[in-house]
Amino acid sequence: MRAAREAAPAAARHAALELLGRNWTGTHTVPAAGLYPHQWSWDSAFVAVGLRHHDPVRAQTELETLLAAQWSDGRVPQIVYDPTVADEYSPNAAFWGSTRLAAARGRATSLLVQPPVHAWAAWLVHTADPEVSRRRRFLERVHPRLRAWHEYLRRERDRGSGLAAVVHPWESGTDNSPLWDDALARLPERPGASPPRPDLAHADAAERPSDREYGRYFWLAEHYRDRAGDDGDPEPPFAMEDPAFNALWALSEQALAATARELGLPAEEHERRAAEILAALEPLFDPVLGVYVARDALTGELVRRATVSGLVPAAVPGAHHAGAVVAAALGPRFLGSGAALVPSYDATAPDLDRALYWRGPAWFNTTWLVAGALRRHGHHDTAARLGETMVRLAVGQDFPEYVDAWDGSPHGTRGFSWTAAVVLDVLA
Ligand code: 9WN
C-alpha cells in the first residue's frame, strides 16, 4: 500500500521530466513542440523553477540562454527565435527584423517583453543547490543582467506611476484577457488579409484568440516594430498596467535583494524598489471585487474586472491587501465557484468562456502562484488540494496548456513545458 502511494508521485515526476527532456533543445526548453517552437521568456523561468529540483545546472542554463539574448538596453525579449526551426510560428523572426537593430546585438528576437519573473526564478534555482550555484558563479553572472532588465522596465516602461506598462497584450503573458478588451477596441482593425495563423494547426480555433484579436495584435506589433521597439513614443496606442506583471516585478526585486546579500553587495536599493512597486500597486486594488485590477496608463482608467492576474499580488510578501485577495481567491468568483483549479477569469462574469485561453480556463502557472499565496496565508489544505489536482490533471492528460477550471478537461496544446515544471515543484 505504502509503495503504491509512493509510486504515483514517482511516476508523475518521471513523466514530467520525460516531457521536459523532450522539449529541451540542448540550450533551452521550448514551451511546446509545434505550437511554440522557440524560447519564450517567462516560460523559461517557470521551467527553471521546476527543473531546479532535479537538474540545477540545466535550470541555470535555461535562464542563462535567455539572458544571453538580452538587448543592450536591458530588455529581455519575449521570444528568442531558434534559427534551426522552420517558420512555424507567427510572427516569425523576419517579421521583427531584430538582427538589423544594433540594440539586439545580432540576435533574432521579438521586440516585446514578458513578465519579469527571472530574478525570482534565478534566486529559487540558486537556493535549490547553493553549492553548485556558487561553484558555477551562477548568481555573479546573471545578477548584472537581471539588474539591467529591471532598469529597462523602470527607465522605459514607467509612465510616472511607479508601475511598468505593457505595450502589447502578448507582454502580459495573458494575451486575450478581458483586461485588454477596451484598450484593444480603440485600435483600428488591421486592413487587408488576416495575419498568418499557424497556431491553428496545433490548437482548436475555439480555444485560441480570434482572427479579429490577431488583427489587432499584429497592428500593434507592426506599430512597435516600425519604431524599432523605441519606447520614447509619447502617445503609444496601447499602454496598460497589469497587476500580475507588476507584482512579479516586486517579487523579483525582493529576490534581487536576496541575491545582492548572497553576493555581498548592497541590498537596500532593491528592498526599497520592491516596496515602491508594491505601494504603486495600491491604487489598482478594487475593494468591491477584492482583487487588483489593471489600469490604462493612457487614460488613467481602471479596468474593473476580476482576473487571475489580480490575485497574483497576494503571492508577494508585504502586499498590502493580501488578506482581501486571498478571500477573493476562495470566494465565488474563483475557487468558491466549485472550481478545481483557479479560473483565469471571474466565474460570475456573463462573458466567461470555459474553454477560451485567458478568458476562463485554469492555467497551471497562475494556479501554482495562487496556491503559494494561499499557503503563505495559512490555507494549507486548499493549497495542498490544488497541488494534488494540478498533478492529477497534468499527468493524466499529457500536460495540457490549460484546462476547464471546473471539470478539468484539457484545452490548448499538450506536452506544455510549464505545466510539467509546476508538477515537479509541487512534488518536490
Ligand atoms: C504569445 C508560450 C506563450 C506564453 C503566453 C501564452 C502564449 C503566445 C501565443 O504562449 O502566448 O506570446 O502565441 O499565444 O499566452 O503566456 O508565454 O507558452
Side-chain angles (χ1 to χ4, degrees):
M1 191 57 198
R2 185 140 183 259
R5 245 184 275 132
E6 280 170 6
R13 232 178 257 124
H14 179 80
L17 282 168
E18 203 266 324
L19 170 66
L20 290 179
R22 255 187 291 139
N23 286 350
W24 171 251
T25 62
T27 53
H28 67 274
T29 309
V30 298
L35 185 56
Y36 307 119
H38 306 286
Q39 183 174 29
W40 257 259
S41 166
W42 80 325
D43 298 64
S44 277
F46 288 112
V47 166
V49 169
L51 210 46
R52 74 193 155 130
H53 305 292
H54 300 278
D55 193 340
V57 173
R58 202 167 107 203
Q60 291 172 20
T61 307
E62 181 81 42
L63 291 169
E64 287 162 358
T65 302
L66 178 72
L67 291 172
Q70 181 173 36
W71 286 32
S72 60
D73 65 5
R75 88 183 67 192
V76 174
Q78 170 211 9
I79 302 170
V80 184
Y81 289 91
D82 180 345
T84 69
V85 167
D87 270 1
E88 278 180 76
Y89 184 79
S90 174
N92 61 13
F95 170 92
W96 292 111
S98 69
T99 51
R100 291 190 296 274
L101 304 175
R105 310 196 243 220
R107 301 299 302 269
T109 75
S110 155
L111 275 51
L112 303 169
V113 300
Q114 273 195 322
V117 279
H118 314 89
W120 172 63
W123 177 248
L124 293 181
V125 167
H126 165 79
T127 57
D129 192 337
E131 210 177 299
V132 78
S133 166
R134 287 185 193 122
R135 181 157 39 81
R136 294 189 73 244
R137 302 174 58 83
F138 171 62
L139 290 179
E140 270 104 323
R141 286 184 293 110
V142 295
H143 183 249
R145 290 188 178 258
L146 295 167
R147 273 184 67 105
W149 167 214
H150 288 203
E151 277 304 324
Y152 165 79
L153 292 173
R154 207 168 358 262
R155 196 182 61 243
E156 305 291 350
R157 297 305 189 88
D158 176 0
R159 302 182 59 85
S161 68
L163 298 179
V166 294
V167 298
H168 193 293
W170 285 332
E171 295 200 312
S172 67
T174 58
D175 314 354
N176 70 342
S177 163
L179 293 174
W180 323 133
D181 288 359
D182 293 346
L184 286 176
R186 288 201 305 260
L187 304 180
E189 299 272 355
R190 188 175 185 268
S194 90
R197 298 290 309 267
D199 57 318
L200 300 183
H202 303 284
D204 190 327
E207 301 174 7
R208 295 280 304 169
S210 64
D211 274 351
R212 192 167 180 182
E213 281 162 325
Y214 253 80
R216 287 182 163 134
Y217 296 163
F218 267 71
W219 186 90
L220 262 184
E222 282 162 7
H223 182 90
Y224 196 59
R225 179 205 56 199
D226 292 348
R227 280 155 190 74
D230 176 11
D231 294 297
D233 189 349
E235 284 182 44
F238 183 97
M240 298 295 297
E241 292 164 342
D242 173 39
F245 189 107
N246 283 286
L248 294 167
W249 187 23
L251 195 59
S252 275
E253 273 295 348
Q254 293 175 350
L256 274 189
T259 302
R261 276 192 293 275
E262 160 73 19
L263 296 176
L265 299 169
E268 298 72 30
E269 171 197 344
H270 297 300
E271 279 159 6
R272 183 173 43 77
R273 287 188 175 151
E276 283 168 3
I277 298 166
L278 285 180
L281 262 172
E282 280 323 289
L284 273 58
F285 179 71
D286 183 314
V288 175
L289 296 171
V291 306
Y292 290 79
V293 297
R295 183 170 53 203
D296 190 324
L298 303 177
T299 64
E301 274 168 34
L302 294 176
V303 184
R304 297 186 185 278
R305 291 176 183 236
T307 67
V308 71
S309 302
L311 302 178
V312 173
V316 187
H320 301 245
H321 292 285
V325 173
V326 163
L330 298 170
R333 298 183 195 281
F334 295 98
L335 292 170
S337 66
L341 297 182
V342 184
S344 50
Y345 184 34
D346 186 343
T348 68
D351 56 344
L352 172 91
D353 185 326
R354 287 172 54 164
L356 182 54
Y357 218 43
W358 292 100
R359 304 183 74 92
W363 290 69
F364 289 78
N365 63 335
T366 46
T367 296
W368 175 75
L369 286 167
V370 173
L374 293 175
R375 198 174 308 107
R376 158 173 292 283
H377 290 88
H379 296 276
H380 296 280
D381 291 351
T382 310
R385 181 177 58 72
L386 287 174
E388 283 158 21
T389 309
M390 281 193 276
V391 172
R392 181 170 52 80
L393 294 178
V395 177
Q397 309 189 99
D398 189 19
F399 302 98
E401 190 177 8
Y402 40 93
V403 296
D404 181 300
W406 292 270
D407 69 18
S409 55
H411 292 292
T413 191
R414 306 295 190 273
F416 193 62
S417 291
W418 84 39
T419 303
V422 164
V423 164
L424 291 179
D425 199 71
V426 169
L427 293 174

